[in-house]
Amino acid sequence: MPRLPRWDRVKESFFNGERLIDSLPRLLDAFVLDIKIFAWSTPAIIALALVLAIARSSRNPALFPIRIFVIGYIDIMRGVPVILWIYLIGFGVPGVGLERPFNSPLLWGSVALVLTYGAYIAEVFRAGIDSVHESQRAASRSLGLSNSQTMRFVILPQAIRRVVPPLMNDLVSLQKDVALVSLIGPIEILRQANIDKAKFANFTPYIGAAIIFLMITIPLTRTTDYLLARERKRTSATRVR
Amino acid sequence: MKLRLDNVHKSFAERKVLAGLNLEVNAGEVVSFIGSSGSGKTTLLRCVNLLEPVDVGAIFLDGDEISQLGRDPDPIRRRIGIVFQSFNLFPHMSVRRNITLALTEVLDKSTQEANATAQLLLKRFNLDEKIDSYPDQLSGGQQQRVAIVRALAMNPEVLLLDEITSALDPELVGEVLDVVRELKGSGITMLIATHEMNFAREISDRVCFLDSGQIAEQGRPEQIFNNPIDDRTKQFLRRVQAVGKT
């Protein structure tokens, strides 16, 4: 065992029970904002990602320019760190002199999250769409279903089921990246933890914030696992041990 | 209804699969296509269903050129059903939904009407107990029978059967072929690509032997199997006889 001569001091400044109990209510209060940002961004992200993925997977030669545009968009959004987009969009767009409420950093921070995560998740959906075997498309088209009906009834339902695990992975990631919006102003949990840390010269509020994040992300992951297992059980006859 | 293929060519990359194929099929006729792997049987059927566009030549249904580039294939596909070697059922849908999907979405039938059609057809082929099962819960033979029912539910004028028993265990082949036997004589026109020589002999009004993307020889089944004229047909039949497939 190496000696940890300063362990007592770390314990005092990171795992201080009194500080934890004192800051938890404020942290939870601030966490409501994280939940809100997550809650309104997620549907927008999924919708944007689906539109991008479907556009990118389209086969109509006439839609070639749209495919090129989508590929460029995804490359650019994914190629720059999320935090940079939050700065650029969050500070930049309100800078053109928009009136309230359209100058809120909260709004544009959320928009930055939607635009970047939409690009990440579009690639997840596209991988799912590509993974559905061509013969499924042939079967659907041979029954007289159109391209878009085939996408809607045959390809997408299978694609989405397959990408639920990586999708949840990205959503857990989003749940944490919501905290980045704090860097352009809104007082959400990470910023509140910062304030408490500064006020009491103690790092324990960070531990409190970490615990609160885990309280959300772990049940989210477990629920997904459960839903997937149930689906697998429903549609298949046997399982290999 | 009459189907006509006129000088059909089809290549994949550098490989010529159909090389000027001509064929006429009358309403209600059952035509089988035999020949070695790669002779163009599957491609021929896929071209008729417009799953593959033809490079040169034309396909006519009732004198109407269906193979025209840029023509909407959907109305034509409603008249031409296809059953695939690997079943291609939709795994995320119950048997019922597999059958009713195109009825409600393509033919705009009500759910009740579509369900009634599914029930009726499943009962006819002794599959009514499986209506709420999922494809993965069925045997290969049952899946293929459901796939046939799915195609039949659209009430097609032409049914294309693409080596529908090739992916099945030998003991499951019989139940699938029984379905096809029952269909013969119902007035539906069938084009069958198959490796089951006995079945082709029994069910067909006409057998076509395909070689290098053309019909090398065609005729009544007795003639093709008992007195083949073309040397390539003779060779092919000798080869399949050697492995006991007749």
Side-chain angles (χ1 to χ4, degrees):
Chain A
M1 269 296 276
R3 291 176 59 235
L4 304 168
R6 312 230 285 188
W7 167 242
D8 278 348
R9 284 173 62 183
V10 168
K11 200 168 122 188
E12 169 58 28
S13 58
F14 280 85
F15 302 99
N16 184 325
E18 200 184 323
R19 285 268 63 84
L20 185 67
I21 289 163
D22 174 65
S23 62
L24 263 185
R26 280 192 300 280
L27 292 174
L28 278 171
D29 250 11
F31 192 58
V32 172
L33 184 60
D34 292 77
I35 304 259
K36 278 186 186 162
I37 298 174
F38 180 76
W40 67 55
S41 300
T42 303
I45 287 168
I46 302 268
L48 173 65
L50 273 177
V51 169
L52 291 172
I54 291 169
R56 192 169 175 180
S57 308
S58 70
R59 299 185 174 186
N60 190 335
L63 297 180
F64 179 73
I66 292 184
R67 278 195 293 279
I68 291 293
F69 172 81
V70 168
I71 290 169
Y73 174 84
I74 292 175
D75 282 355
I76 290 170
M77 294 318 279
R78 288 201 312 168
V80 174
V82 177
I83 178 64
L84 205 44
W85 281 121
I86 291 177
Y87 278 142
L88 287 173
I89 298 173
F91 286 138
V93 177
V96 301
L98 294 168
E99 307 269 321
R100 290 184 70 175
F102 297 108
N103 60 358
S104 129
L106 188 58
L107 170 69
W108 293 105
S110 306
V111 168
L113 280 179
V114 170
L115 295 180
T116 46
Y117 268 83
Y120 286 116
I121 293 181
E123 286 298 276
V124 172
F125 282 136
R126 188 176 69 101
I129 290 170
D130 286 351
S131 79
V132 177
H133 198 266
E134 194 63 23
S135 61
Q136 288 284 307
R137 199 182 289 264
S140 175
R141 294 307 308 275
S142 78
L143 287 166
L145 280 94
S146 66
N147 253 326
S148 55
Q149 285 175 321
T150 298
M151 186 52 93
R152 176 173 154 210
F153 294 109
V154 177
I155 309 290
L156 271 187
Q158 297 186 59
I160 290 172
R161 273 180 184 80
R162 283 179 204 183
V163 300
V164 165
L167 183 65
M168 290 313 290
N169 194 35
D170 278 350
L171 289 184
V172 168
S173 195
L174 168 68
Q175 170 61 40
K176 294 173 298 172
D177 280 355
V178 162
L180 294 176
V181 175
S182 71
L183 295 174
I184 58 171
I187 298 182
E188 52 68 70
I189 186 166
L190 190 60
R191 199 171 172 87
Q192 184 63 51
N194 249 326
I195 293 169
D196 277 25
K197 174 212 73 179
K199 194 152 73 187
F200 302 104
N202 190 296
F203 291 101
T204 306
Y206 286 155
I207 298 291
I211 292 169
I212 292 172
F213 272 112
L214 288 175
M215 274 171 11
I216 293 292
T217 50
I218 291 178
L220 207 61
T221 318
R222 288 290 86 77
T223 310
T224 323
D225 288 352
Y226 167 75
L227 291 175
L228 276 175
R230 200 180 63 172
E231 171 69 17
R232 212 169 294 134
K233 217 161 153 187
R234 190 171 65 96
T235 56
S236 60
T238 55
R239 77 179 267 226
V240 178
R241 284 187 178 274
Chain B
M1 200 290 314
K2 190 172 183 179
L3 184 71
R4 185 158 67 87
L5 279 74
D6 196 8
N7 190 33
V8 168
H9 289 255
K10 177 73 193 176
S11 302
F12 294 101
E14 291 300 295
R15 208 165 61 87
K16 241 182 163 8
V17 181
L18 298 180
L21 189 136
N22 294 294
L23 176 73
E24 277 192 40
V25 181
N26 291 313
E29 201 180 0
V30 177
V31 181
S32 291
F33 300 90
I34 59 172
S36 37
S37 296
S39 59
K41 304 186 293 288
T42 292
T43 305
L44 165 64
L45 298 190
R46 290 177 70 94
C47 283
V48 171
N49 196 261
L50 309 181
L51 287 172
E52 304 289 352
V54 303
D55 298 336
V56 179
I59 302 172
F60 298 88
L61 187 64
D62 281 337
D64 184 16
E65 187 182 343
I66 59 173
S67 55
Q68 260 166 356
L69 209 68
R71 191 174 165 168
D72 180 11
D74 295 340
I76 297 151
R77 289 188 178 131
R78 281 169 221 169
R79 303 172 58 191
I80 305 177
I82 185 165
V83 182
F84 301 91
Q85 178 174 350
S86 48
F87 328 141
N88 299 4
L89 293 176
F90 307 130
H92 58 301
M93 294 179 190
S94 64
V95 166
R96 179 200 305 271
R97 191 62 183 138
N98 261 281
I99 297 166
T100 57
L101 176 69
L103 295 178
T104 57
E105 303 307 325
V106 178
L107 300 183
D108 287 324
K109 292 194 178 183
S110 69
T111 309
Q112 290 101 313
E113 210 181 335
N115 275 332
T117 305
Q119 268 157 4
L120 204 71
L121 280 170
L122 287 171
K123 196 159 177 61
R124 180 166 154 206
F125 299 112
N126 289 319
L127 286 161
D128 39 335
E129 281 176 13
K130 302 294 179 189
I131 190 159
D132 290 315
S133 302
Y134 283 81
D136 281 357
Q137 297 164 333
L138 304 179
S139 73
Q142 289 167 338
Q143 287 190 52
Q144 192 58 294
R145 281 150 65 204
V146 170
I148 296 173
V149 167
R150 181 175 70 176
L152 282 178
M154 296 296 283
N155 207 8
E157 296 158 51
V158 185
L159 189 61
L160 311 171
L161 305 176
D162 183 14
E163 302 190 21
I164 56 169
T165 57
S166 297
L168 295 176
D169 291 339
E171 81 266 23
L172 299 176
V173 168
E175 62 181 81
V176 171
L177 295 185
D178 281 343
V179 172
V180 184
R181 286 188 185 99
E182 199 193 313
L183 289 177
K184 183 179 160 111
S186 68
I188 193 167
T189 309
M190 287 194 277
L191 273 61
I192 307 174
T194 187
H195 288 295
E196 301 281 339
M197 297 304 150
N198 280 332
F199 177 68
R201 180 198 292 248
E202 167 204 330
I203 195 119
S204 313
D205 298 317
R206 179 160 39 124
V207 175
C208 300
F209 171 70
L210 258 63
D211 186 75
S212 316
Q214 288 183 327
I215 296 177
E217 182 170 3
Q218 56 180 314
R220 302 278 311 159
E222 314 83 68
Q223 184 257 307
I224 295 288
F225 288 107
N226 299 341
N227 300 302
I229 299 163
D230 194 283
D231 281 340
R232 290 167 294 178
T233 319
K234 288 179 188 168
Q235 265 181 18
F236 172 75
L237 289 174
R238 259 202 304 278
R239 270 206 313 275
V240 289
Q241 263 163 359
V243 294
K245 269 272 195 175
T246 54

